[in-house]
Every structure is written in C-alpha cells, then in structure tokens.
Amino acid sequence: MGAFKRIFMVINPNAGVKKKVNTLCDIVNVFADHGYETIVSYTRKSGDAAALVEEHADDQIDMIVCMGGDGTLNEALSGARKIGWKKPVGYIPAGSTNDFAASLGLPSEPKEAAEQIMEGTPRRLDLGIFNGRTFVYTASCGLFTRTSYETPQKFKNRLGHLAYILEGVKDLTQFTPIYMKIDTGEEIYEGEFILTAVCNTFSLGGVMSLDNGEIDLGDGLYEILMIRQPKDIIQMNEAVKALYEQNFDHDLVNLVKVRKAKIICPSKEDWSLDGERGEGQEINEFEVVSGGMKLIY
Ligand SMILES: [Mg+2]
C-alpha cells in the first residue's frame, strides 16, 4: 500500500448538536479505508475555521474537510480561497443551519456524509463575494435573515429551523422595511423591502424553497430574491402566496439572476452572510466568482 494521502479536517464543536467522539472515530475510519490520514483541528471561536485552513492546508494536504454548520463551510472556503487552494473541499454538515447542505442533498448522518465525500466527484460551484467577503449560498438583509446570527447558539441548537420560523413570524409584525436601490447592471429595483437575499441555493432559512427547476449552483449566476413591503395584510397574504407558488414575476416578489449587483442602502443595515453577521454599508457590492469552489460530494 502506498503512502497515505492527507485530509485536513476542521471541526466546529459548537455548531449544532455536539457530536460524540464515536462520530469522529467513524469519520476518520471512513477516510482511512480510502487511504487517507486525517489531521483534525477544532475551532474555538468565530474566524478560527478560516485561520486554521490558511495555516494547515499546505502542499502536504490533499483535501480539506470541514464539519459544522454552513457558517463553518463559509469560513473554510474563505480560508481556502485566500491561500489559492485548488484541491477539493468536503463538507460534513453538523450544525443546526444546513440550508446549503440540504441544497446539495448531503446526508445529515456524519458518517454517511464522510462516505459520500470519499465516493464523490469534485464539482465546481460558484462563490459569492459581498463587500470583499466570501459567501457560499446567501447574503441577505431583512426578514428571516437577521435571525440566523441574532438567535443565540443555544437556541439554534435546541430549535433548529423552528427558531427561524418563530423569529420570522415575530418579524412579520415588528419588521421595519428597508429602503434599498438594487442595481443589477441591467435593471434597477428601488423601494421598501422586507427581504433582499442574494443567493445560490434551493433553500433559504429552512422555510423557503427556491427549487423552481431553474437554479443551478454552478451557472455563474446568483439569484436576488426581493420582497417588497406589503401595504396591508391582504398584500402580505398575496406575497406569501406568490412565494408558495414560486411566482417571482409579482408586484411584491421578484427573483432575478445576476452576475453582480450594487445595492445601495442608506440605513446601512447589517447583512447575514451564510448566517454570520456582515456589517452593513451604504453601498454594497456583490459579484460572483464563477466556479470559485471545488466541492466534493
Ligand atoms: Mg447559480
């Protein structure tokens, strides 16, 4: 048997339900069965996953695997992009927020996810850059999206997606619409929005499906979903109906494909980048890095 190939694995132990040591043994065993030696590092605080990848994913490493929530994947990919990583990245979803994992159809059982990585194919998928920061599947502002970084981790763990839904419902009555001017280079959308989400995913906040058969995670395009402020409860119901029916050519609900966008927001609202807080600016710049990540699954 030849020399082992090496996996650098970064684990966020605080993402979602803590997995037992046995889970890690199972995963490392799966990798070993396929000829990989695994070097494991744990994150302790926000930012660690990116820093650990930058530090450890050198020439001796053949694959990066991250285990955690979508935020952990975001960080691992940010770190990988920073060091010009060209080899594959694997993702073992273990957090409460796994919209992107769900989008990819990754198994929720960590051992199965590890097996899928070993038997998988590297695929080039797009990455988004928002105000200079890497994100994988969503940069959003408004309804549903404040929740992902404002809901304390302990509640996220306990409630999972329910937290999003409850917070979302609370937002419906308490929400202050956000004035924005969204310039896609082809069209300008202007007004009061309750949700603006730049995304490359089939699922948003665990509650909204964008699977209308037209979404492709590697087409070099992201979608911008814009929901305008309804004037009354009747309009709100219409907007919800439009979402359910995926009628995106609606007065209140639009979905457009973009390669880049400039989003002007005078109130400098914060954004959520894959569930992590992104500080708001008056002028927000978004662009797609076509095929910016090589994910294996
Ligand atoms: Mg796309």
Side-chain angles (χ1 to χ4, degrees):
M1 193 175 182
F4 275 101
K5 293 173 283 180
R6 288 202 177 92
I7 285 175
F8 175 66
M9 185 173 175
V10 60
I11 301 175
N12 177 357
N14 295 314
V17 182
K18 284 197 181 178
K19 299 288 168 183
K20 293 193 178 79
V21 175
N22 287 346
T23 307
L24 180 58
C25 291
D26 286 346
I27 291 167
V28 171
N29 263 325
V30 168
F31 294 161
D33 286 345
H34 288 80
Y36 284 92
E37 163 181 276
T38 306
I39 299 157
V40 175
S41 242
Y42 284 90
T43 64
R44 290 187 167 76
K45 58 182 190 308
S46 175
D48 278 359
L52 288 166
V53 163
E54 280 178 54
E55 192 182 333
H56 296 286
D58 57 20
D59 293 349
Q60 308 296 310
I61 302 295
D62 299 285
M63 190 189 295
I64 297 168
V65 172
C66 65
M67 179 168 168
D70 288 339
T72 311
L73 174 69
N74 171 308
E75 279 200 26
L77 289 167
S78 300
R81 184 173 150 72
K82 212 164 169 186
I83 57 172
W85 179 260
K86 298 274 189 289
K87 296 170 195 171
V89 175
Y91 176 27
I92 299 178
S96 55
T97 309
N98 298 122
D99 275 337
F100 191 65
S103 245
L104 296 176
L106 301 185
S108 54
E109 173 57 45
K111 191 184 170 193
E112 281 174 35
E115 279 161 355
Q116 191 161 319
I117 290 168
M118 289 294 97
E119 280 146 29
T121 313
R123 300 163 213 234
R124 289 234 166 254
L125 304 180
D126 303 327
L127 267 183
I129 306 289
F130 192 86
N131 291 338
R133 272 179 63 181
T134 301
F135 73 99
V136 180
Y137 75 100
T138 176
S140 50
C141 186
L143 186 66
F144 296 129
T145 59
R146 289 179 169 182
T147 61
S148 62
Y149 60 86
E150 279 180 6
T151 309
Q153 190 68 44
K154 62 177 175 175
F155 294 123
K156 268 211 255 186
N157 294 352
R158 199 176 308 149
L159 298 172
H161 283 161
L162 188 59
Y164 280 94
I165 296 165
L166 292 178
E167 288 283 341
V169 169
K170 199 172 74 185
D171 270 2
L172 286 183
T173 52
Q174 299 182 349
F175 197 74
T176 314
I178 302 164
Y179 170 82
M180 283 186 190
K181 187 173 166 184
I182 300 155
D183 183 351
T184 67
E186 287 176 15
E187 199 101 34
I188 291 174
Y189 300 83
E190 188 178 5
E192 305 277 342
F193 296 91
I194 57 170
L195 174 72
T196 304
V198 184
C199 42
N200 198 35
T201 183
F202 302 112
S203 164
L204 202 58
V207 293
M208 195 180 289
S209 167
L210 297 175
D211 190 6
N212 64 353
E214 285 182 11
I215 291 178
D216 180 336
L217 305 182
D219 61 356
L221 297 166
Y222 272 47
E223 282 74 32
I224 302 188
L225 176 68
M226 294 164 273
I227 305 177
R228 289 178 191 272
Q229 163 78 348
K231 289 190 179 61
D232 49 39
I233 194 73
I234 295 166
Q235 280 202 346
M236 176 56 90
N237 289 338
E238 278 176 19
V240 170
K241 185 163 173 270
L243 283 169
Y244 271 120
E245 291 174 353
Q246 307 204 358
N247 170 16
F248 298 122
D249 193 18
H250 188 271
D251 288 346
L252 297 169
V253 182
N254 289 115
L255 186 78
V256 293
K257 290 182 184 293
V258 296
R259 288 179 201 284
K260 61 182 174 61
K262 182 189 279 188
I263 301 172
I264 297 167
C265 179
S267 60
K268 299 182 183 175
E269 292 288 330
D270 277 346
W271 288 69
S272 159
L273 304 182
D274 296 340
E276 306 295 318
R277 179 174 174 266
E279 199 174 322
Q281 299 181 11
E282 183 166 353
I283 300 173
N284 302 278
E285 300 272 1
F286 158 73
E287 63 175 325
V288 180
V289 182
S290 188
M293 63 172 155
K294 195 194 268 181
L295 213 62
I296 185 163
Y297 61 97

